[in-house]
């Protein structure tokens, strides 16, 4: 477990093999050890995006782990939720993440509970349940303040999710306040994916508002972080021989899943459209829509329809564009989507 949490990942499997060779004679204790082994192997499988194997191992772990060991059971439920989320199984993901959050709270495993809660908020956003996501984030932040007087740094993702919802509702002040908190907290633990995502988002928004005559002043601490990120990105771009496209450069590798799970196919469709492969992009978005529909992923469906509308418009197919955009408007009516349109 220590090797896993300190990211000495190459050391994990040899230890697990030693544990297998040294299973206790007592069957109950041996089952519990097998549960630990399955949980850690599933964690490794999920890191490699082998979600099918992770889910199989975590199902095995749930049957083996001792009920009196909520710490490990919490991480098993958390990883199961993340594997389902990465697979797009939003309903199952929500169930597992809720279980992990409850178990984490009961076991005093605050880190796992916060990670589970932040990803549950992401699931709610993917399902278009913005009000529920906002309530969950606000309740979690208030609980942290009541308990500790300040939020745990892992709350950076909670603030990030809430900022996304507030931006969608066009609450600019709320967006900046919460995203600033997200960046400051993430910077404390060097969570670069959140720092970059938040900084680039604030910089983009600040430029957009300036063009409209509204000047936004960031706090000194936040401004320093944003400037540092922008300088780093500019240096990386100057040194690179490969042209980077759009602000999605910061979502490379696993960071995309960590920050905005569920949107990788939308990003791929955007790339296809930019390359002139518009029919492939439309086909992919249609597939995204159908898959999301099966898991009540209304947020994903709205994004897919909006992207389809822009592609149809670029092709001069205005009737098709208005049809899919009308569907998106209908889906989003009860949750107050503003920015998307």
């Amino acid at each position: 477990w220590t090797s896993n949490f300190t990211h000495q990942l190459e050391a994990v499997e040899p230890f697990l093999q030693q544990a297998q060779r040294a299973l206790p004679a007592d069957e109950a204790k041996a089952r519990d050890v097998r549960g630990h082994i399955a949980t850690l192997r599933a964690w490794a499988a999920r890191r490699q995006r082998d979600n099918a194997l992770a889910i199989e191992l975590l199902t095995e772990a749930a049957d083996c782990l001792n009920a009196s060991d909520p710490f490990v059971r919490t991480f098993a439920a958390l990883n199961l939720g993340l594997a389902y989320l990465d697979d797009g199984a939003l309903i199952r993901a929500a169930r597992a993440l809720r279980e992990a959050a409850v178990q984490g709270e009961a076991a005093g495993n605050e880190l796992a509970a916060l990670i589970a809660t932040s990803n549950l908020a992401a699931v709610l956003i993917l399902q278009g349940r913005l009000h529920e996501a906002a309530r969950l984030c606000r309740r979690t932040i208030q609980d942290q303040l009541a308990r500790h007087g300040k939020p745990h740094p892992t709350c950076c993702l909670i603030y990030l999710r809430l900022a996304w919802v507030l931006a969608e509702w066009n609450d600019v002040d709320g967006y900046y306040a919460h995203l600033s908190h997200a960046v400051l907290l993430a910077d404390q633990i060097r969570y670069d994916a959140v720092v970059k995502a938040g900084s680039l988002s604030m910089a983009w928004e600040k430029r957009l508002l300036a063009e409209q005559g509204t000047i936004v002043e960031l706090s000194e601490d936040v401004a320093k972080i944003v400037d540092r990120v922008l300088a780093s990105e500019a240096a990386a771009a100057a040194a690179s021989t490969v042209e980077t496209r759009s602000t999605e450069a910061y979502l490379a590798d696993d960071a995309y899943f960590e920050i905005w799970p569920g949107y990788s196919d939308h990003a791929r469709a955007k790339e296809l459209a930019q390359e002139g492969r518009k029919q492939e992009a439309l086909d992919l978005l249609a597939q995204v829509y159908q898959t999301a529909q099966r898991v009540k992923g209304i947020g994903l469906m709205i994004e897919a329809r909006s992207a389809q509308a822009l592609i149809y418009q670029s092709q001069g197919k205005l009737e098709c564009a208005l049809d899919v955009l009308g569907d998106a408007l209908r889906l989003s009516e009860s949750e107050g989507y503003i920015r998307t349109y």
Side-chain angles (χ1 to χ4, degrees):
W1 280 101
T2 302
S3 296
N4 182 71
F5 285 127
T6 56
H7 293 278
Q8 300 175 60
L9 305 181
E10 69 286 345
V12 174
E13 182 57 31
F15 281 129
L16 296 181
Q17 291 175 12
Q18 289 180 38
Q20 276 186 312
R21 291 193 293 268
L23 284 173
D26 181 277
E27 179 55 27
K29 292 180 179 178
R31 281 179 58 81
D32 189 48
V33 173
R34 282 195 288 268
H36 280 249
I37 292 170
T39 300
L40 284 161
R41 282 186 171 148
W43 207 322
R46 192 183 63 75
R47 282 191 177 108
Q48 296 168 13
R49 312 302 280 271
D50 189 347
N51 295 313
L53 177 59
I55 291 166
E56 178 185 338
L57 288 167
L58 290 164
T59 303
E60 175 189 334
D63 292 335
C64 294
L65 287 169
N66 194 319
S68 63
D69 192 353
F71 182 85
V72 180
R73 295 187 73 88
T74 297
F75 279 113
L78 172 61
N79 276 282
L80 183 60
L82 293 173
Y84 279 135
L85 175 54
D86 198 17
D87 254 6
L90 300 185
I91 297 171
R92 290 179 177 179
R95 189 182 306 123
L97 291 168
R98 281 195 176 91
E99 181 182 344
V102 170
Q103 288 180 347
E105 284 292 328
N109 189 346
E110 194 169 37
L111 173 63
L114 288 172
I115 295 172
T117 300
S118 71
N119 283 284
L120 177 56
V123 171
L124 294 172
I125 291 170
L126 296 177
Q127 291 183 319
R129 296 155 67 181
L130 303 189
H131 289 94
E132 193 174 344
R135 284 195 297 271
L136 174 64
C137 292
R138 286 184 170 125
R139 186 169 65 244
T140 304
I141 291 168
Q142 289 167 1
D143 180 62
Q144 282 285 301
L145 294 175
R147 286 185 186 186
H148 308 298
K150 61 180 181 180
H152 190 284
T154 307
C155 274
C156 61
L157 280 170
I158 305 285
Y159 279 99
L160 184 77
R161 308 286 188 229
L162 182 52
W164 189 97
V165 174
L166 296 174
E168 184 59 52
W169 288 341
N170 212 31
D171 179 354
V172 176
D173 291 340
Y175 159 82
Y176 268 107
H178 288 85
L179 198 51
S180 293
H181 275 297
V183 167
L184 289 169
L185 290 170
D187 198 51
Q188 291 177 23
I189 54 176
R190 298 184 179 180
Y191 194 166
D192 291 342
V194 174
V195 172
K196 288 182 181 180
S199 296
L200 292 172
S201 181
M202 282 192 285
W204 179 86
E205 180 79 10
K206 187 178 179 182
R207 284 196 299 269
L208 181 66
L209 291 172
E211 291 171 3
Q212 299 171 359
T214 301
I215 304 302
V216 173
E217 295 294 340
L218 302 176
S219 72
E220 184 177 351
D221 289 344
V222 174
K224 285 180 179 177
I225 295 172
V226 172
D227 289 344
R228 187 184 76 212
V229 169
L230 292 176
S232 175
E233 291 297 295
S240 175
T241 57
V242 180
E243 181 183 357
T244 55
R245 187 164 45 212
S246 81
T247 56
E248 286 163 13
Y250 68 83
L251 294 176
D253 304 322
D254 277 355
Y256 205 114
F257 176 71
E258 292 174 20
I259 305 302
W260 298 123
Y263 287 112
S264 55
D265 283 339
H266 294 75
R268 176 59 182 152
K270 180 179 178 181
E271 289 176 0
L272 289 170
Q274 289 174 335
E275 292 168 3
R277 299 157 65 182
K278 295 183 179 180
Q279 190 55 52
E280 289 180 60
L282 289 169
D283 291 344
L284 177 56
L285 290 167
Q287 182 181 338
V288 167
Y289 185 92
Q290 292 168 3
T291 302
Q293 197 169 30
R294 290 195 290 271
V295 293
K296 301 180 180 179
I298 291 175
L300 291 170
M301 293 160 66
I302 292 168
E303 292 284 348
R305 286 300 197 222
S306 302
Q308 284 177 315
L310 291 172
I311 295 172
Y312 280 132
Q313 183 187 35
S314 72
Q315 294 177 321
K317 299 177 180 178
L318 296 186
E319 187 173 341
C320 293
L322 291 172
D323 281 346
V324 294
L325 196 57
D327 186 35
L329 286 163
R330 175 185 60 79
L331 288 167
S332 64
E333 185 176 2
S334 63
E335 291 291 337
Y337 279 80
I338 298 173
R339 277 297 184 88
T340 299
Y341 307 110

